[in-house]
Amino acid sequence: MEPAIKCNICPRNCNVDRSKSKGLCNIPWQVKVAKAYLHHWEEPFISGTRGSGTVFFSGCNLKCVFCQNYEISQYQFGKFLTVEELAQVFLNLQKQGAHNINLVTPTIHVFSIKEAILLAKRQGLQIPIVYNTNAYENVETLKMLEGLIDIYLPDLKYYNDALAKKYSKAPNYFEHATKAILEMYRQVGIPQFDEEGILKRGLVIRHLIMPGFVEDTKKILLWIKENLPKEIYVSLMSQYTPYYQAQKYPEINRKITPQEYDEAIDFFFEIGLENGLIQEIESASEDFIPDFDLEGLE
């Protein structure tokens, strides 16, 4: 699909014609994917027993210095697909028994993804669609997806704008991300589960706790408490591992401590939040990072 306008999909508002040149995401207009497979290490009500049909898209509109998926997010490893091929990827995952289609870092590809979802639905796609995002989104872009996304899974990364700019080169991150999350909630509401306990619709917020910044985590949790219903689930992730360029930033060149994680969990309950998901501290391991090998893209 050729873009009708210059690209302003995300808060970067690059205003470039990505059919002719690249924006800050370094990805042209055609959709690019690094892997599509049954993923068993998402939240239990997303992976379930058969796995989440996870599609890892190449490129990203954030520049996180600690990114564990930097091979695809920053170096853009992957394979270009047509809309028809992407729709077939979705259908193949459904055929393999996936509980859902899990779109990882989809933002910069939303036009192609929208077309592929519509095409796949016409060809029999019935399982829920998960929009798994860094939350650096434009509300106007999300509105284009209304009715197509069943589950929004944003990672609300930072409260402090100085941290967002330093570690992800994302100015006004919290402002954009929180507006986006409120739009996501408007579209899909509180979580709803099927008879097997698998999530079929709703908003779930992730937050990756970073070393030394538990106070930032607390401010994010307070915003969730004050702006969303108590039924919303919050996944507090302990899996931060210093990958990519993290060694250049000594203050974040380590995993979080059990004490930091416990402090965040305690605060979660102290302020009256109820639906929390926690990780084992051992999840901060490269064992849980997929091999990006073009699996599922034959």
Side-chain angles (χ1 to χ4, degrees), residues 85 128 139 141 148 157 172 178 184 190 268 282-283 286 297:
E85 288 169 337
V139 169
T141 300
L148 295 178
K157 291 181 174 293
N172 302 310
T178 50
M184 295 174 194
I190 62 175
F268 177 94
E282 292 80 12
S283 63
E286 63 183 21
L297 308 180

Side-chain angles (χ1 to χ4, degrees), residues 92-278:
N92 289 344
L93 289 167
Q94 177 176 263
K95 187 175 181 180
Q96 292 171 43
H99 289 290
N100 45 60
I101 300 299
N102 185 353
L103 310 171
V104 179
T105 321
T107 309
I108 59 177
H109 300 293
V110 289
F111 285 99
S112 295
I113 288 171
K114 180 178 180 178
E115 283 194 36
I117 292 173
L118 290 169
L119 178 58
K121 284 181 176 292
R122 291 196 295 270
Q123 297 177 0
L125 183 68
Q126 297 179 323
I127 56 179
I129 307 293
V130 182
Y131 193 86
N132 186 339
T133 171
N134 59 41
Y136 202 44
E137 302 273 359
N138 277 343
V139 169
E140 293 76 12
T141 300
L142 295 173
K143 286 181 177 179
M144 291 170 35
L145 298 170
E146 186 165 5
L148 295 178
I149 304 301
D150 302 285
I151 298 161
Y152 278 107
L153 187 62
D155 180 7
L156 184 50
K157 291 181 174 293
Y158 307 102
Y159 179 91
N160 187 322
D161 197 48
L163 300 181
K165 287 189 283 190
K166 182 174 183 180
Y167 300 123
S168 296
K169 297 181 174 62
N172 302 310
Y173 173 85
F174 185 76
E175 176 186 354
H176 288 294
T178 50
K179 287 179 180 177
I181 287 171
L182 292 175
E183 170 62 19
M184 295 174 194
Y185 172 70
R186 185 193 69 79
Q187 290 186 24
V188 299
I190 62 175
Q192 301 172 32
F193 301 88
D194 67 16
E195 61 279 359
E196 298 178 19
I198 305 300
L199 187 63
K200 62 180 183 179
R201 184 174 176 83
L203 171 68
V204 175
I205 300 174
R206 285 174 165 171
H207 173 63
L208 178 66
I209 300 168
M210 292 183 61
F213 298 126
V214 175
E215 293 305 312
D216 204 64
T217 293
K218 292 178 180 179
K219 291 175 182 177
I220 284 172
L221 293 176
L222 275 173
W223 180 87
I224 294 171
K225 163 71 174 176
E226 293 169 357
N227 290 275
L228 290 163
K230 63 181 181 180
E231 291 86 357
I232 295 298
Y233 277 74
V234 181
S235 180
L236 280 174
M237 299 188 294
S238 63
Q239 68 189 48
Y240 176 86
T241 307
Y243 280 96
Y244 191 37
Q245 298 177 346
Q247 70 275 7
K248 298 179 181 178
Y249 302 83
E251 70 277 13
I252 62 167
N253 193 29
R254 63 172 176 85
K255 300 177 182 181
I256 69 168
T257 65
Q259 292 76 20
E260 287 173 317
Y261 195 45
D262 288 345
E263 184 177 349
I265 293 170
D266 289 345
F267 186 78
F268 177 94
F269 289 111
E270 283 172 13
I271 63 174
L273 290 171
E274 297 180 2
N275 291 331
L277 294 163
I278 62 173

Side-chain angles (χ1 to χ4, degrees), residues 12 23-26 60-67 73-74 76 166-170 244-245:
R12 301 289 184 185
L24 186 136
C25 61
N26 286 322
C60 185
N61 64 337
L62 291 189
K63 300 294 179 185
C64 299
V65 298
F66 51 84
C67 183
S73 68
Q74 307 307 315
Q76 297 88 40
K166 182 174 183 180
Y167 300 123
S168 296
K169 297 181 174 62
Y244 191 37
Q245 298 177 346

Side-chain angles (χ1 to χ4, degrees), residues 8-57:
N8 293 297
I9 285 174
C10 81
R12 301 289 184 185
N13 293 318
C14 292
N15 204 38
V16 299
D17 182 346
R18 283 172 52 207
S19 67
K20 299 176 181 176
S21 58
K22 300 176 183 178
L24 186 136
C25 61
N26 286 322
I27 289 286
W29 198 255
Q30 186 177 5
V31 68
K32 196 175 189 182
V33 179
K35 190 180 184 78
Y37 78 127
L38 297 179
H39 188 22
H40 294 276
W41 298 107
E42 299 285 35
E43 284 76 5
F45 52 53
I46 292 176
S47 287
T49 55
R50 301 192 303 271
S52 176
T54 306
V55 183
F56 286 92
F57 292 92

